[in-house]
Amino acid sequence: MGSRYKVSERDTALAKALSHPVRSQALRILDERVASPSEIAEELGLPVSNVAYHVRALLQLECIEEVATRPVRGALEHLYRAVRRPVITGDEWEDIPAAARAQIATSVFRDTLSDARAALEAGVFDAGSERHLSRTELTLDEEGWRTLNERLEALRAEALELQAAAARRLDKDGAGAVGTTLALLHFERRDEPAGE
C-alpha cells in the first residue's frame, strides 16, 4: 500500500540515523539529555573515536545540534542534544526503502530487549507492583489494523504528554523521577502453515 505523503529530506536523514545501531543509541541518549561523545561512549561501552564518528554523522544529518563546549584536560569537549525525537510515523515509514526499514526495526528491537534485560538483571523489572507485560495474538481486517495503529500512536503521544507533565512536577534535581521504557509493537505475524 503506497503512501499519500512523500518522506521529507529530514525524515530520510532520521531514517539514515536510526539505521545504524551506534547512531540509533546515541540519538536515543541525546533525546533524553545533553551529552558529549565521551559520555555516550562510556554509557555504551564503546571507544570514544567510534562514537565521535557517529555523533559527527548525526550532526551532518541534522538530527542533533551542538549546545555547549567545556574545557576538559586542555581540550574542548562538545555537548549535543537531539533536535527531533527519533520517531518515524506510519506515513513516513512506507516511503523508506525496505533495507533501511529492516535496519531500523532491528535497532529498535535490540535496544528494547537490551533495556528489558538490564532491568531484569538489576532486579527492577518486577520490583514494583505496577508494570505491564503482555503478548496478544489478534486476527484483524484492514480497518481493525489501521484503527489499532492509530490508537497505539495516540497512546505514545499521551505518554509523551505525561512525561512533560511529570517534568513540571519534579524537583530541579530530578528527585523522585522514575525512568521507564514504553515499547509498543504491532506487526503482522507469520502464521505457520497447517502441518508444520
Side-chain angles (χ1 to χ4, degrees):
M1 177 169 60
S3 171
R4 295 178 295 142
Y5 307 96
K6 284 296 166 200
V7 70
S8 70
E9 285 182 30
R10 195 171 166 106
D11 296 323
T12 300
L14 182 58
K16 287 179 183 175
L18 295 176
S19 67
H20 191 283
V22 175
R23 288 194 301 264
S24 173
Q25 290 174 309
L27 186 57
R28 180 175 51 85
I29 290 168
L30 294 173
D31 182 49
E32 295 169 356
R33 67 180 186 283
V34 171
S36 69
S38 62
E39 291 169 331
I40 296 168
E42 184 177 341
E43 182 169 332
L44 298 179
L46 296 171
V48 175
S49 59
N50 184 8
V51 171
Y53 169 82
H54 289 292
V55 167
R56 283 192 300 276
L58 290 171
L59 191 60
Q60 290 173 348
L61 292 167
E62 299 181 356
C63 293
I64 63 171
E65 65 182 358
E66 185 176 330
V67 293
T69 58
R70 64 183 172 209
V72 175
R73 293 182 299 276
L76 275 184
E77 184 174 54
H78 300 268
L79 300 167
Y80 302 92
R81 71 173 171 206
V83 294
R84 181 175 173 208
R85 285 198 162 275
V87 174
I88 299 174
T89 67
D91 290 327
E92 297 161 346
W93 186 255
E94 291 180 19
D95 289 323
I96 296 171
R101 289 196 310 259
Q103 289 175 325
I104 294 167
T106 298
S107 180
V108 170
F109 279 118
R110 185 194 55 251
D111 291 349
T112 301
L113 292 174
S114 176
D115 287 348
R117 183 181 63 243
L120 285 165
E121 289 172 355
V124 296
F125 184 86
D126 239 357
S129 61
E130 295 185 18
R131 59 105 180 99
H132 181 87
L133 174 65
S134 64
R135 180 179 178 276
T136 307
E137 291 190 5
L138 305 168
T139 302
L140 302 172
D141 62 2
E142 188 68 27
E143 181 181 343
W145 172 272
R146 191 170 41 254
T147 300
L148 183 53
N149 281 337
E150 289 168 359
R151 290 185 182 171
L152 289 172
E153 179 55 32
L155 176 60
R156 189 188 68 80
E158 183 179 351
L160 293 174
E161 291 172 8
L162 291 170
Q163 175 179 252
R168 291 189 294 272
R169 291 190 302 268
L170 288 168
D171 294 337
K172 231 179 187 180
D173 63 359
V178 179
T180 72
T181 296
L182 172 64
L184 301 173
L185 302 174
H186 181 226
F187 55 93
E188 190 171 346
R189 70 177 183 269
R190 178 183 177 268
D191 286 327
E192 295 293 333
E196 277 194 19

